[in-house]
Amino acid sequence: MTVANILAAKGRTVTTASKTDSIADICTVLAEKKIGAVVVLADDETIAGILSERDVVRALALNGAAALDQPVSSVMTVEVVSCREADSINDVMGKMTEGRFRHVPVTQNDHLVGLVSIGDIVKAKIAQIEADAEQLRSYIASA
Ligand code: AMP
């Protein structure tokens, strides 16, 4: 199973932000959309960073309520690990485990074309295990 299979099921819409948005703006977006991270885009639409709820918590712990007025650029992670549509789900799981993050943007020619979360991976893995089990059940029943 590949990243393309996940995007085909969930769609390619990604919630994005700009570097100048405030942390308060991002809190509203994360809460309204019930998501854990936004991808930050530069003016040329390439990925400038990623900001997750963990970054917000860290900023609040450091600066208190004043963190809410800080710009996204001051809190986001700049070195973003991304994947391609052709990558296997296991490859992406490896990246998440190694980097200790739960979101991986999907890119094509340096542009954002989707986002895979750990929840998407778990869902795809369970579907795969159930399909394998069903196949085994029918094989045994027909033997
Ligand atoms: P998360 O587990 O996705 O909430 O993110 C945990 C930390 O990793 C936060 O500091 C994020 O900014 C950072 N992060 C999330 N996704 C990525 C990614 N794909 N590449 C690099 N850092 C990331």
Side-chain angles (χ1 to χ4, degrees):
M1 204 180 269
T2 65
V3 167
N5 297 130
I6 290 184
L7 294 188
K10 77 174 276 198
R12 291 163 179 274
T13 308
V14 183
T15 303
T16 60
S18 76
K19 288 196 249 182
T20 52
D21 289 340
S22 70
I23 300 303
D25 293 335
I26 301 305
C27 287
T28 306
V29 171
L30 296 179
E32 279 179 354
K33 297 199 178 265
K34 300 186 171 74
I35 56 174
V38 293
V39 177
V40 185
L41 292 183
D43 291 342
D44 63 359
E45 302 278 297
T46 57
I47 296 176
I50 190 162
L51 189 139
S52 90
E53 53 205 2
R54 293 221 173 138
D55 300 311
V56 174
V57 169
R58 199 175 303 127
L60 286 169
L62 271 177
N63 301 327
L68 294 171
D69 294 326
Q70 284 180 230
V72 162
S73 59
S74 66
V75 173
M76 69 186 190
T77 300
V78 177
E79 294 293 327
V80 180
V81 176
S82 61
C83 66
R84 305 276 168 89
E85 288 192 61
D87 290 347
S88 73
I89 289 178
N90 287 346
D91 282 345
V92 180
M93 272 173 66
K95 286 180 178 187
M96 286 179 173
T97 306
E98 199 178 316
R100 292 170 166 263
F101 44 69
R102 299 164 292 177
H103 302 87
V104 177
V106 188
T107 59
Q108 193 172 12
N109 302 326
D110 287 336
H111 280 79
L112 183 64
V113 294
L115 181 115
V116 175
S117 74
I118 200 160
D120 300 325
I121 300 272
V122 170
K123 198 171 160 191
K125 275 281 173 192
I126 289 172
Q128 196 172 34
I129 290 164
E130 281 176 353
D132 290 349
E134 184 50 41
Q135 215 171 9
L136 265 180
R137 269 195 292 271
S138 20
Y139 174 72
I140 290 164
S142 67

